[in-house]
């Protein structure tokens, strides 16, 4: 199944157009490799998605063409969620 469709059906990302945009920006990796919207997702793959200052890592448990809201969460397992470090502007040297 295409990455953008999997993200929409599993409800990791609510809209397919948004899933396409996020993937096209290089903010999603599958098994450590940057993925495009049309990249094929298989059971057992590990997805890392960057949402702003947070990275969510999930493993693909099931592939389904469609899923009810209640069943969508069974398509993946969240492995971890981590915040990216914020850069404190006070520590940036401003050399004149």
């Amino acid at each position: 199944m295409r990455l953008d469709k999997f993200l929409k059906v599993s409800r990791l990302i609510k809209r397919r157009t948004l899933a396409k945009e996020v993937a096209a920006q290089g903010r999603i990796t599958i098994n450590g490799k940057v993925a495009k919207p049309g990249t094929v997702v298989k059971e057992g793959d590990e997805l890392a998605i960057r949402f702003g200052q947070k990275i969510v890592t999930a493993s693909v448990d099931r592939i389904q063409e469609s899923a009810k809201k209640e069943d969508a969460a069974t398509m993946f397992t969240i492995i971890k969620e981590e915040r990216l470090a914020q850069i404190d502007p006070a520590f940036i040297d401003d050399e004149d």
Side-chain angles (χ1 to χ4, degrees):
M1 174 181 289
R2 288 176 52 105
L3 173 61
D4 56 346
K5 184 170 182 181
F6 174 80
L7 293 170
K8 184 229 181 250
V9 172
S10 67
R11 291 173 173 77
L12 275 167
I13 295 180
K14 302 294 185 225
R15 294 186 320 273
R16 190 166 178 180
T17 53
L18 182 59
K20 281 184 180 181
E21 290 173 18
V22 171
Q25 293 170 359
R27 295 171 33 195
I28 302 175
T29 61
I30 297 177
N31 301 324
K33 296 180 182 174
V34 176
K36 294 182 180 180
T39 302
V40 176
V41 177
K42 302 178 295 298
E43 291 180 8
D45 283 348
E46 187 174 290
L47 307 177
I49 308 166
R50 184 166 50 87
F51 294 105
Q53 295 299 315
K54 184 169 74 169
I55 296 178
V56 176
T57 305
S59 66
V60 177
D61 296 335
R62 286 190 306 136
I63 300 291
Q64 288 180 239
E65 288 298 315
S66 63
K68 293 182 179 179
K69 188 175 183 180
E70 306 82 44
D71 300 333
T74 65
M75 293 177 67
F76 63 91
T77 303
I78 299 292
I79 297 171
K80 64 181 174 181
E81 292 184 39
E82 55 189 332
R83 283 220 169 275
L84 296 174
Q86 294 278 343
I87 299 175
D88 187 348
F91 290 106
I92 298 175
D93 285 334
D94 191 18
E95 295 181 24
D96 296 333

